[in-house]
Amino acid sequence: MAFASVRVTGNPNSNFLVGYPGISATLPRLEGKVEIRPGVNATAPVLVSMVTIHLQRRETINPTADSLLRSQVSSQRREIIDMVGRQMCLYKVPPGRDAEAVMLMDLPFMVFIPFGRGGEEVARRVPPASLQLDKRTAETFYELVVELRHGSEIKKYAFPVPIARYDTLSTFGMYNRPESAERTTDHIVTLGISLPRWSYGPLDPVSVYIKLSPNSDWMNKAKRVTIQSITVGIEEEIIYNHEGDEPSRKVKTLAKHNQTVGVKMPEAGYFTNLGLVFPARELRDSDGVLPRGRKEFPTYAVAGFTTTGTLYKIEYYLTVKAKLSSARDILLRQPIVVCPFDHAGCKEEMEAIEQAAKDAAHVSPDNPLLPPQKIIKADNPAGLRALGIGMVGGMRKPYIE
C-alpha cells in the first residue's frame, strides 16, 4: 500500500462531538469526515479496498502508582481496549476488483455513541467520561480509529476525542430533591441529616441540616450525653477492579469542617446547619499559567467525579460524625453525586441541551443523512489539480496561492 496521509476533521466551526453523552434525547454522536490523500511530498495514488471507522475506549488502572514503591508500578498496570458502539463502513471497493487507486477521498461519517442503559447488553451502555487521575492511577480516553485496507493489509490511524458525561448535572430535577438519612449506634442518640440537593461540582457550597435526637425510651441516659463536636466531610472512594475477584478500595478525605459543640443533649434534640465548599483543582501552575492540556482529556476543574468504568469505579460520600461522651460516636456516610462542572456551568448547559434535543429529532440513527462522498480516482485528469499539483514542462509542481 502506498503511504497515505489520513486525517479526521469535524464539521466547519463545530466539534466532532454533537449532542450530550448520557442524555439520550440529544442522540450523542461524532460527526465529521475522513480525508485520505497521498503521503507527504508524494503524488502516487493510494490503493484502497475498504475504509472503516469506529470509536475505541482505552482504560487503564494502576492502584500502586501513587505509592512511593516504584518497583512494581509497571507490573501492576492493567489495560483494556473496547469498541464503543458499532463500526461504520465508509467505503468498499466494487465487487470484482481488488482495490481502487485514488488520489483523494473525503468520506463523511456519523458514529453514534451508545445512549441506552443497556442492562446486560454491554454495547448499549453509556460509556464513561474521559478521565485521568493523578499519577495515572486510573484513566479512560477515547480514539476515533480509521482502518484503511488494501487486500489483507490493514493500517490503523487513531485520533483522540475527549468525551464528557452530562447526566450528573446538578441542575437536573432528580438531584434537587431533599435526601435524608438516619443512623444510631447504641439506641441512646439518633443522628439524622437532610441534604437540600445531592449533586455537586467544584466550588459548589455543600449544606447539610443535622439533627441529634435522644431516644425517648432511654431519656435518663440520653440526658447525660454531651455533644462534644460534629464533623462534616467529603470522601472520595475509588474501587479498582470492582467487577473482578479482588477489588481494592482507596478512600481519601477531600474536605472536612469541624464544629465544637460542648453542650448536654437537650430533651428536644440538637439542631444545626453545617456546610463546606466542595474542593476544586488548581489548574494553573505556580506562575499562574494554564498548562496546555492533553487532547485526550477535557480540562476539568475537579480532580475526579462520579463515574463507573470496567476496571474502576469512583464514588463520593458526605460524612457526618457526631463525637459524644456517655454514648458511642455516630458516623453517617451518605452517597452524593459529583459532577465535573459547577452549578453555574450546569445552568449554562441547560439551554444548549434543549436545543440539541430539538436538533436530534431530525436525525435518524438507523439511516443518517450524510453529505455526499468526494472520491477522485487516479485516472481522473483533475486528480493532480485536487492535490494542488500542476504539470509544468513535464514536471509536477505545487500551485503557489
Side-chain angles (χ1 to χ4, degrees):
M1 183 190 299
F3 177 67
S5 172
V6 177
R7 189 173 70 151
V8 172
T9 59
N11 291 326
N13 301 318
S14 66
N15 196 358
F16 287 121
L17 183 60
V18 181
Y20 289 81
I23 302 177
S24 58
T26 64
L27 284 184
R29 57 202 182 275
L30 296 162
E31 292 185 14
K33 63 180 177 180
V34 175
E35 300 177 353
I36 301 174
R37 307 284 190 273
V40 180
N41 298 325
T43 55
V46 180
L47 298 176
V48 179
S49 301
M50 182 185 292
V51 181
T52 63
I53 191 170
H54 67 271
L55 183 64
Q56 174 177 280
R57 173 170 61 100
R58 301 173 72 99
E59 193 173 290
T60 64
I61 59 169
N62 191 352
T64 63
D66 58 353
S67 69
L68 296 176
L69 298 175
R70 299 294 180 187
S71 57
Q72 298 178 337
V73 166
S74 58
S75 62
Q76 291 290 329
R77 183 165 292 280
R78 289 190 55 197
E79 180 177 21
I80 61 162
I81 301 175
D82 276 338
M83 183 186 296
V84 179
R86 294 179 295 180
Q87 190 176 51
M88 181 180 182
C89 182
L90 303 180
Y91 174 81
K92 191 173 184 180
V93 72
R97 304 184 64 174
D98 180 52
E100 189 75 72
V102 297
M103 301 297 288
L104 175 149
M105 282 185 129
D106 285 345
L107 308 174
F109 65 86
M110 189 179 292
V111 175
F112 288 89
I113 299 172
F115 48 82
R117 291 300 167 195
E120 297 297 323
E121 192 179 345
V122 177
R124 291 194 61 233
R125 290 183 192 168
V126 183
S130 303
L131 172 68
Q132 185 180 49
L133 296 182
D134 291 337
K135 299 180 181 176
R136 297 182 64 205
T137 53
E139 67 180 11
T140 298
F141 66 92
Y142 293 85
E143 295 171 319
L144 270 174
V145 180
V146 177
E147 290 188 1
L148 192 61
R149 305 190 183 197
H150 171 220
S152 60
E153 186 180 355
I154 301 176
K155 287 193 174 180
K156 296 183 179 182
Y157 305 83
F159 305 89
V161 178
I163 289 181
R165 283 274 292 268
Y166 294 87
D167 48 347
T168 58
L169 297 188
S170 58
T171 43
F172 287 143
M174 59 183 175
Y175 298 120
N176 287 311
R177 293 197 305 263
E179 284 281 308
S180 57
E182 286 188 348
R183 183 167 177 80
T184 184
T185 53
D186 53 12
H187 306 291
I188 298 176
V189 178
T190 300
L191 170 63
I193 67 166
S194 177
L195 294 172
R197 60 188 182 93
W198 49 289
S199 175
Y200 305 96
L203 298 181
D204 280 352
V206 181
S207 176
V208 54
Y209 174 75
I210 300 170
K211 178 183 178 182
L212 284 165
S213 307
N215 186 342
S216 57
D217 296 333
W218 299 75
M219 189 58 74
N220 288 334
K221 287 186 177 181
K223 283 181 179 179
R224 292 198 292 268
V225 172
T226 300
I227 306 168
Q228 295 181 344
S229 64
I230 299 175
T231 304
V232 178
I234 295 173
E235 289 183 350
E236 177 187 72
E237 182 172 326
I238 305 175
I239 308 166
Y240 297 99
N241 196 27
H242 66 98
E243 293 181 346
D245 297 331
E246 297 179 356
S248 64
R249 296 173 180 264
K250 292 198 175 182
V251 180
K252 181 169 64 174
T253 300
L254 302 181
K256 185 185 289 187
H257 173 65
N258 182 63
Q259 184 181 68
T260 302
V261 180
V263 299
K264 289 282 189 180
M265 174 63 71
E267 284 191 31
Y270 179 82
F271 308 86
T272 185
N273 266 309
L274 288 181
L276 42 78
V277 175
F278 194 91
R281 172 187 246 169
E282 179 53 64
L283 298 177
R284 298 181 182 273
D285 61 17
S286 58
D287 297 322
V289 177
L290 193 65
R292 184 188 296 273
R294 291 182 59 186
K295 291 184 289 186
E296 295 92 338
F297 306 102
T299 303
Y300 288 124
V302 62
F305 45 84
T306 302
T307 184
T308 301
T310 304
L311 296 178
Y312 68 94
K313 180 163 64 171
I314 306 178
E315 297 175 340
Y316 292 85
Y317 295 89
L318 177 79
T319 62
V320 179
K321 182 177 182 180
K323 190 174 183 182
L324 311 172
S325 65
S326 303
R328 293 170 63 185
D329 296 344
I330 307 175
L331 175 64
L332 191 152
R333 294 178 89 221
Q334 176 67 17
I336 59 173
V337 171
V338 172
C339 173
F341 320 107
D342 61 13
H343 197 63
C346 293
K347 282 184 177 178
E348 292 174 359
E349 293 287 358
M350 294 304 288
E351 188 175 341
I353 290 174
E354 291 178 10
Q355 184 59 49
K358 293 176 183 177
D359 296 341
H362 305 290
V363 178
S364 170
D366 300 320
N367 187 24
L369 185 62
L370 295 174
Q373 296 182 344
K374 183 179 180 182
I375 301 176
I376 298 180
K377 300 179 182 178
D379 56 2
N380 191 322
L384 289 177
R385 179 181 292 271
L387 298 177
I389 303 291
M391 297 298 292
V392 179
M395 298 181 66
R396 298 180 179 185
K397 300 283 187 180
Y399 287 118
I400 300 175
E401 297 183 359

